[in-house]
Amino acid sequence: MSNKAISTPAAPAAIGPYSQGIAAGNTAYISGQLPIDSATGEFAGQDIASQTRQSLTNVKSILEANGMTMANVVKTTVLLADIGEFAAMNQVYAEFFSEPYPARAAYQVAALPKGAKVEIEAIAVK
């Protein structure tokens, strides 16, 4: 099995030695997505709702570049700068997924790149 980089201009470019995503067989591993709008290079907003929406939109765009949808996602990890914003993040998160929902872990972290409020990674299977 060979690994193939997944890349799309519809999501922010990787800013280091990593790929937006990697396809390995029928599985896609999507790198943690900050809430950066690829058209502007800026955060989509300063609140947790707009940042969560943009992070998940970036995940969705990378999946689509690999011929997948959010329905293919089996696992996500959500990193939050403030776990107190979990409920607001979760409300937006629910807009992107339907049953059966992917498995998920959510953590508060000390800090995220560029001062983001959220970063989301995903694993998807065809």
Side-chain angles (χ1 to χ4, degrees):
M1 168 176 59
S2 62
N3 297 342
K4 176 189 88 161
I6 305 168
S7 181
T8 177
I15 328 169
Y18 66 94
S19 299
Q20 289 176 325
I22 290 289
N26 65 346
T27 304
Y29 300 88
I30 309 305
S31 293
Q33 293 300 302
L34 292 172
I36 297 172
D37 180 332
S38 63
T40 66
E42 302 293 328
F43 287 156
Q46 294 304 312
D47 61 289
I48 190 66
S50 61
Q51 289 197 12
T52 300
R53 188 168 285 106
Q54 186 63 54
S55 289
L56 287 168
T57 297
N58 294 342
V59 168
K60 182 179 177 187
S61 295
I62 297 166
L63 289 168
E64 288 172 351
N66 193 51
M68 298 172 127
T69 70
M70 296 298 270
N72 293 107
V73 176
V74 296
K75 170 75 168 72
T76 63
T77 303
V78 178
L79 306 175
L80 294 162
D82 180 358
I83 200 72
E85 295 187 311
F86 179 88
M89 175 281 299
N90 200 47
Q91 187 172 9
V92 174
Y93 182 97
E95 297 171 13
F96 284 80
F97 297 102
S98 56
E99 292 188 34
Y101 300 112
R104 177 178 73 190
Y107 304 96
Q108 177 173 313
V109 296
L112 289 167
K114 299 185 174 240
K117 291 181 173 284
V118 65
E119 181 174 356
I120 302 172
E121 67 176 14
I123 300 170
V125 179
K126 282 186 184 180

